[in-house]
Amino acid sequence: MITCQLTKLETALDALKKSQPNLNAADAALLASALSLTGRHALAIYEGERYTWPEDYQKLAAAMIPEITIIQETVAETAPKRASKNAPEDEPVVVNVGLAPNYAAGEALLEGRDDLKTALSDVLQEGVDFSYNPNDLGWQWALDRVNWNTVSGQEIARKIRVKCTFTEGAQGTEIGAPGTKKRRTAAAKVTEEE
């Protein structure tokens, strides 16, 4: 399994050089770029349908409206008649969207290079672990910015948080997610000791 950090392309390049030592440097760099695109432009999977980013943005948002409406109805039924002044703010409701590597996006970059297209297919079949910040994924970035009040045509009483995760053909590791340790710099350690 190859690790491809979407913010640092050189990690994918290093992993590809190790797994496929016969590739020359230029081909390895091209393949690493294509691999990164398969993650950044991953296909969204929602209720069995696949959506391409950014072309299907409005189509996916429209497909999610029935679930958002159900969430709204559930919140309206269970909401207390009079909210307490000191009541904690409600946690956002999480709506999950699956992601699959977008082979077509990577293949478009490798136009005319059937040998590299085959290598990309082989790498994706062996498995890829995409390491990413949420803004690295086109779908996560776009769905974080949906105004559900406007899209659904009603006022949403509860915050909606869409969580995109790799489910098919790849794994995903969110950098900086709760539970992951952050590296401290040497300067930060010195400051703490003073």
Coordinates of all heavy atoms in Angstrom, one line a residue, residues 47 64-77 154:
E47 N -25.7 7.3 -1.4 CA -26.9 6.4 -1.7 C -26.7 5.7 -3.0 O -27.7 5.7 -3.8 CB -28.2 7.3 -1.6 CG -28.4 7.8 -0.2 CD -29.8 8.5 -0.1 OE1 -30.5 8.6 -1.1 OE2 -30.1 8.8 1.1
M64 N -29.0 15.3 -1.4 CA -28.9 15.2 0.1 C -30.1 15.9 0.8 O -30.2 15.7 2.0 CB -27.6 15.8 0.5 CG -26.4 15.0 0.0 SD -24.8 15.8 0.4 CE -24.7 15.5 2.2
I65 N -30.9 16.6 0.1 CA -32.0 17.4 0.7 C -33.0 16.5 1.4 O -33.4 16.8 2.6 CB -32.7 18.2 -0.4 CG1 -31.8 19.4 -0.8 CG2 -34.0 18.8 0.2 CD1 -32.3 20.2 -2.0
P66 N -33.4 15.3 0.9 CA -34.3 14.5 1.7 C -33.7 14.1 3.1 O -34.5 14.1 4.1 CB -34.5 13.2 0.9 CG -34.3 13.7 -0.5 CD -33.2 14.7 -0.4
E67 N -32.4 13.8 3.2 CA -31.8 13.5 4.5 C -31.8 14.7 5.4 O -32.1 14.6 6.6 CB -30.4 12.9 4.3 CG -29.8 12.4 5.6 CD -28.5 11.7 5.5 OE1 -28.1 11.5 4.3 OE2 -28.0 11.3 6.5
I68 N -31.5 15.9 4.8 CA -31.4 17.1 5.6 C -32.8 17.4 6.1 O -33.0 17.9 7.2 CB -30.9 18.3 4.7 CG1 -29.5 17.9 4.2 CG2 -30.9 19.6 5.5 CD1 -28.4 17.7 5.2
T69 N -33.9 17.2 5.3 CA -35.2 17.4 5.7 C -35.6 16.5 6.8 O -36.3 17.0 7.8 CB -36.2 17.2 4.5 OG1 -35.8 18.1 3.4 CG2 -37.6 17.5 4.9
I70 N -35.3 15.3 6.8 CA -35.6 14.3 7.9 C -34.9 14.8 9.1 O -35.5 14.7 10.2 CB -35.1 12.9 7.5 CG1 -36.1 12.3 6.4 CG2 -35.1 11.9 8.7 CD1 -35.6 11.0 5.7
I71 N -33.6 15.2 9.0 CA -32.9 15.7 10.2 C -33.7 16.9 10.8 O -33.9 17.0 12.0 CB -31.5 16.1 9.8 CG1 -30.6 14.9 9.5 CG2 -30.8 16.9 11.0 CD1 -29.3 15.1 8.9
Q72 N -34.1 17.8 9.9 CA -34.9 19.0 10.4 C -36.1 18.6 11.1 O -36.5 19.1 12.2 CB -35.2 19.9 9.2 CG -36.0 21.1 9.5 CD -35.4 22.0 10.6 OE1 -34.2 22.1 10.7 NE2 -36.3 22.7 11.3
E73 N -36.9 17.6 10.5 CA -38.1 17.2 11.2 C -37.9 16.5 12.5 O -38.6 16.7 13.5 CB -38.9 16.2 10.2 CG -39.4 16.9 9.0 CD -39.9 15.9 7.9 OE1 -39.9 14.7 8.2 OE2 -40.4 16.4 6.9
T74 N -36.8 15.7 12.6 CA -36.5 15.1 13.8 C -36.1 16.1 14.9 O -36.5 15.9 16.1 CB -35.3 14.1 13.6 OG1 -35.7 13.2 12.6 CG2 -35.0 13.3 14.9
V75 N -35.4 17.1 14.5 CA -35.0 18.1 15.5 C -36.2 18.9 16.0 O -36.3 19.2 17.2 CB -33.9 19.1 14.9 CG1 -33.7 20.3 15.7 CG2 -32.6 18.3 14.7
A76 N -37.1 19.2 15.1 CA -38.3 19.9 15.4 C -39.2 19.1 16.4 O -39.8 19.7 17.3 CB -39.1 20.3 14.2
E77 N -39.3 17.8 16.2 CA -40.1 17.0 17.1 C -39.5 16.8 18.5 O -40.2 16.7 19.5 CB -40.3 15.6 16.5 CG -41.1 15.6 15.2 CD -41.1 14.2 14.5 OE1 -40.5 13.3 15.1 OE2 -41.7 14.1 13.5
Q154 N -35.7 25.8 3.3 CA -36.3 25.9 4.7 C -35.2 26.3 5.6 O -34.0 26.1 5.4 CB -37.0 24.6 5.1 CG -36.1 23.4 5.2 CD -36.8 22.2 5.6 OE1 -37.9 22.3 6.1 NE2 -36.2 21.0 5.4

